[in-house]
Each structure stands twice: as C-alpha cells, then as structure tokens.
Amino acid sequence: MNAEFWIERWNQHQIGFHQKEINSYLTSMWSQTNLPIDSGILVPLCGKSLDMLWLADQKYRVVGIELSEVAASEFCAENSFLTTPQSIEGGYLWKFNSAISFICKDFFKVTAADTGKINGVYDRAALVALPPEMRKTYASHVTSLLEKGGKIFLVTFEYSQDKMKGPPFSVTKDEVSQLYGHDFIIDEITKVELKDQSRLAALPENEKILERVYILEKK
Ligand SMILES: C[S@@+](CC[C@H](N)C(=O)[O-])C[C@H]1O[C@@H](n2cnc3c(N)ncnc32)[C@H](O)[C@@H]1O
C-alpha cells in the first residue's frame, strides 16, 4: 500500500473506513490510559477521523498525520475550521486553536520536531491499514515518537488473511507482541467478535472476525 494507493482512494472517495460516529472503544475505554489532560496525542494515518475532535474535547493536544490533502481539506470543511495551512518540510500544517494540529505529510517522514512531545498514540485503522512488510517500520517509528511511560491505544482486526486481501489487514496478538513487546508492556483490554461484517465485506459470510483493543505502555 504505497502513497498512490491511498491518494487514489481519497480522490475516488472510497473511504469505507471513515466512521461517521466517534469510535465507541475510544469513548468507553480511553480513560484506562490514565493520560493527563494537556498530553500530546498522536493520531497516525488519521484520515478525517472525528475521533480527533473527541480527544481535543478531553483537553488533549492532538496531532493528526495524514497523507491526503483531500482528507485534510474535508476535515477542515466538515468541521468548519476556517484556517489556512502553513508549509512545513515535506507537507502542510493546519492548526485548529491550540487543540488540534493536522499535519499533511508522509507519516514515515514525520519527526519529533513536527509533532512536539507525544505522550499517547491513538491507533484505529492505522496499523491494520498497512501490509505486513511495512508494519515493523511503522511500529518502530511510532515507538520513536513516543515518550517513555507513554501509552498506545490500539485497535486491531483478526481474521483469516487467506480469505480476504487487505486493507484492513489481520494483525494477530502474536504480531502485536512481536512489533511492540520489546519496548512496551502490552495489556489487551477487550476482545469482541464482530457481527457486522460491513468493513470486511470481501470476507465470506460468517467468517470469524475479532476486534481486539490494547493499551501499551512504553517501558
Ligand atoms: C484505513 S484509513 C484510516 C483513517 C483513520 N485512522 C480512521 O480511523 O478513519 C488509513 C489512512 O492512512 C492514510 N495513510 C496511509 N499511508 C500513510 C502515510 N504513509 N502517511 C500518512 N498517512 C497515510 C491514508 O490516506 C488513510 O486516510
């Protein structure tokens, strides 16, 4: 899944991953991260997710990272953020009050200078959007941007990968452990068998899909 794949998806408006509601795991379980207000929360591969608004409402400093300028402009327009972007190295930055920084740039090129201090990461549909060969680099980069003691709130899917081509990809509990186990304490906070198959419509009917939510704490 290279940049062109995602740019094209946004240009064609094939964005079935976008949720019109705030994510229910976020609203019901985020408090378990115990991250204090004013913490910097990174939302990698953020699309135009409304979850950023919820995090900002909780008084966090939110930093969303997204490749597509279409996503950025829709996020602004749909939330009545009337502001012009400034150029940064390799992309653009929109600042909405002091609460949300929306950075339109390749996540793999984002630096700590771009994000500021990051104490938490919200990963919904980001790790699972990436093919296996990109996930190690992604996890290392997320780890490098996060302070010691910082937390990752991670939502994954698990299903038979041979029955459907991602994205979203299946990321097993073992893989989460391989990617993050060295640097993080991993706590699985819930596991839900999905009844609604709409986001994985290409799967044969009645295939088992598990959604797992983890909180990882950086050692
Ligand atoms: C499956 S979508 C999920 C979006 C968002 N997390 C959500 O919950 O709606 C993945 C997003 O990652 C973006 N993306 C993919 N590769 C990226 C990269 N290297 N840097 C920044 N954004 C990227 C895509 O444009 C797309 O909007």
Side-chain angles (χ1 to χ4, degrees):
M1 260 80 250
N2 53 19
E4 288 66 38
F5 170 88
W6 291 107
I7 301 283
E8 198 48 28
R9 285 212 44 182
W10 277 100
N11 289 345
Q12 303 292 330
H13 228 253
Q14 290 170 357
I15 55 165
F17 52 78
H18 177 68
Q19 293 188 311
K20 296 195 174 73
E21 312 284 335
I22 311 283
N23 185 273
S24 60
Y25 297 126
L26 176 64
T27 53
S28 61
M29 295 176 168
W30 175 265
S31 61
Q32 295 182 42
T33 63
N34 288 318
L35 284 165
I37 61 170
D38 292 332
S39 298
I41 308 296
L42 181 70
V43 185
L45 284 59
C46 63
K48 56 172 182 175
S49 172
L50 300 176
D51 299 342
M52 291 189 277
L53 305 181
W54 185 87
L55 285 162
D57 277 349
Q58 313 310 304
K59 310 274 181 273
Y60 294 112
R61 187 176 50 79
V62 178
V63 184
I65 315 287
E66 170 55 46
L67 264 180
S68 162
E69 286 181 37
V70 174
S73 63
E74 289 187 8
F75 182 73
C76 295
E78 289 168 14
N79 298 299
S80 310
F81 290 132
L82 304 171
T83 169
T84 41
Q86 64 189 79
S87 286
I88 57 168
E89 189 167 338
Y92 297 95
L93 162 69
W94 284 257
K95 268 199 169 285
F96 307 119
N97 313 319
S98 51
I100 303 179
S101 300
F102 192 114
I103 298 176
C104 192
K105 178 170 175 174
D106 182 350
F107 174 66
F108 295 98
K109 297 188 177 144
V110 164
T111 64
D114 293 323
T115 63
K117 189 171 169 183
I118 294 297
N119 312 93
V121 175
Y122 174 62
D123 181 330
R124 183 257 161 196
L127 177 65
V128 298
L130 299 171
E133 65 276 13
M134 292 178 79
R135 296 201 281 254
K136 198 162 183 282
T137 313
Y138 167 84
S140 303
H141 197 46
V142 166
T143 303
S144 73
L145 292 170
L146 185 64
E147 296 284 312
K148 189 167 182 247
K151 309 276 177 69
I152 303 177
F153 188 97
L154 169 66
V155 184
T156 63
F157 287 121
E158 264 183 65
Y159 62 87
S160 306
Q161 192 67 87
D162 55 343
K163 302 265 174 57
M164 188 191 110
K165 214 162 88 69
F169 294 94
S170 173
V171 177
T172 63
K173 197 171 176 176
D174 275 355
E175 184 174 348
V176 170
S177 183
Q178 282 159 27
L179 292 172
Y180 287 115
H182 182 262
D183 297 303
F184 290 83
I185 299 160
I186 301 174
D187 184 15
E188 180 189 292
I189 55 171
T190 195
K191 174 175 78 173
V192 176
E193 192 170 338
L194 272 196
K195 298 288 172 241
D196 173 12
Q197 239 181 272
S198 54
R199 274 207 59 218
L200 297 107
L203 270 180
E205 229 176 284
N206 300 323
E207 274 295 314
K208 189 168 171 181
I209 308 166
L210 279 182
E211 218 169 12
R212 292 187 201 265
V213 183
Y214 305 87
I215 291 177
L216 288 69
E217 178 174 357
K218 191 168 173 188
K219 296 179 204 161

